[in-house]
Amino acid sequence: QKEVEQNSGPLSVPEGAIASLNCTYSDRGSQSFFWYRQYSGKSPELIMSIYSNGDKEDGRFTAQLNKASQYVSLLIRDSQPSDSATYLCAVTRSNYKLTFGKGTLLTVNP
Amino acid sequence: GAGVSQTPSNKVTEKGKYVELRCDPISGHTALYWYRQSLGQGPEFLIYFQGTGAADDSGLPNDRFFAVRPEGSVSTLKIQRTERGDSAVYLCASSDMGGYGYTFGSGTRLTVV
């Protein structure tokens, strides 16, 4: 079992829709969870972090964490073509050593 | 500088050669990290520095890889006897002591031919 699993996609949504990105992890000791956005040919950019069960909202982004189910998700409301990118889920139990998933490619169609 | 700076941005080298990749972190950040990202994969942890010392080098794949940070700022990742499988984007990140959330540099794309 891979440590962090994401559906590789591509996930295609129309402009203005909600994009839902999912991630599961195997290490029950994981304490911190992150979502990174990576445009093609660019480096990852941190967009959300979440540390406790529940929802965390930041603008159009909402991160959701369920430690019992070992599940993290990212919702993007009112999706824009500029949101088209690969979204990487990362988890850590140590606060410094991140384990990344392979990423989900999101395409937002105008 | 304002962000994490990595040089060179691209490096092409022949199999068996030695390469050095440089990372200049955000000023004041004590923690520095190296990751490697192969095509279609997420970044993979290589090594973590806190100050001058390597606090965790468990991700270095073998003894051909070595990294230093002699003055607690700039770091150099060194790869000896490069192999074609070393081809990847090498990412550097830094953070303050809290460690939560990284700022990555733009990476060095290493191609071994």
Side-chain angles (χ1 to χ4, degrees), chain A:
Chain A
Q1 181 187 7
K2 294 183 179 173
E3 293 183 66
V4 179
E5 294 209 48
Q6 296 181 252
N7 187 326
S8 62
L11 173 65
S12 183
V13 301
E15 184 174 357
I18 296 175
S20 178
L21 303 157
N22 305 313
C23 170
T24 58
Y25 60 94
S26 60
D27 183 358
R28 284 197 170 273
S30 298
Q31 297 293 325
S32 305
F33 307 85
F34 305 92
W35 284 98
Y36 283 79
R37 177 175 63 199
Q38 186 169 30
Y39 292 113
S40 181
K42 302 295 185 182
S43 60
E45 171 193 10
L46 179 66
I47 54 171
M48 288 289 288
S49 58
I50 187 165
Y51 309 108
S52 54
N53 282 329
D55 295 1
K56 179 181 177 183
E57 187 174 319
D58 184 359
R60 295 186 296 111
F61 298 98
T62 299
Q64 299 175 316
L65 174 62
N66 183 325
K67 289 185 179 180
S69 299
Q70 296 173 247
Y71 178 86
V72 193
S73 66
L74 179 70
L75 300 178
I76 307 174
R77 289 180 300 281
D78 187 24
S79 295
Q80 301 297 308
S82 59
D83 295 326
S84 298
T86 295
Y87 288 81
L88 297 160
C89 173
V91 308
T92 181
R93 61 156 65 207
S94 66
N95 97 340
Y96 67 84
K97 183 176 180 178
L98 298 185
T99 301
F100 284 84
K102 288 187 176 183
T104 298
L105 177 62
L106 171 67
T107 301
V108 181
N109 300 305

Side-chain angles (χ1 to χ4, degrees), chain B:
Chain B
V4 178
S5 176
Q6 290 188 248
T7 54
S9 55
N10 280 285
K11 176 71 176 178
V12 180
T13 190
E14 292 181 347
K15 179 176 177 293
K17 298 289 189 184
Y18 167 83
V19 296
E20 290 189 349
L21 312 179
R22 176 188 167 106
C23 173
D24 197 343
I26 292 173
S27 178
H29 279 186
T30 57
L32 185 145
Y33 319 83
W34 284 99
Y35 282 74
R36 176 170 73 173
Q37 187 173 23
S38 300
L39 193 62
Q41 305 294 316
E44 174 190 24
F45 173 81
L46 295 178
I47 187 169
Y48 156 59
F49 286 92
Q50 185 59 254
T52 60
D56 185 342
D57 65 357
S58 61
L60 295 178
N62 51 58
D63 61 5
R64 296 187 297 105
F65 288 74
F66 190 70
V68 295
R69 195 186 185 198
E71 297 178 356
S73 179
V74 171
S75 176
T76 305
L77 178 65
K78 308 180 180 193
I79 310 174
Q80 298 177 322
R81 304 183 303 281
T82 51
E83 299 177 357
R84 292 196 178 88
D86 299 335
S87 297
V89 175
Y90 288 81
L91 295 164
C92 177
S94 69
S95 67
D96 60 20
M97 283 197 64
Y100 292 103
Y102 293 172
T103 301
F104 281 100
S106 55
T108 293
R109 182 176 298 277
L110 175 66
T111 304
V112 182
V113 297

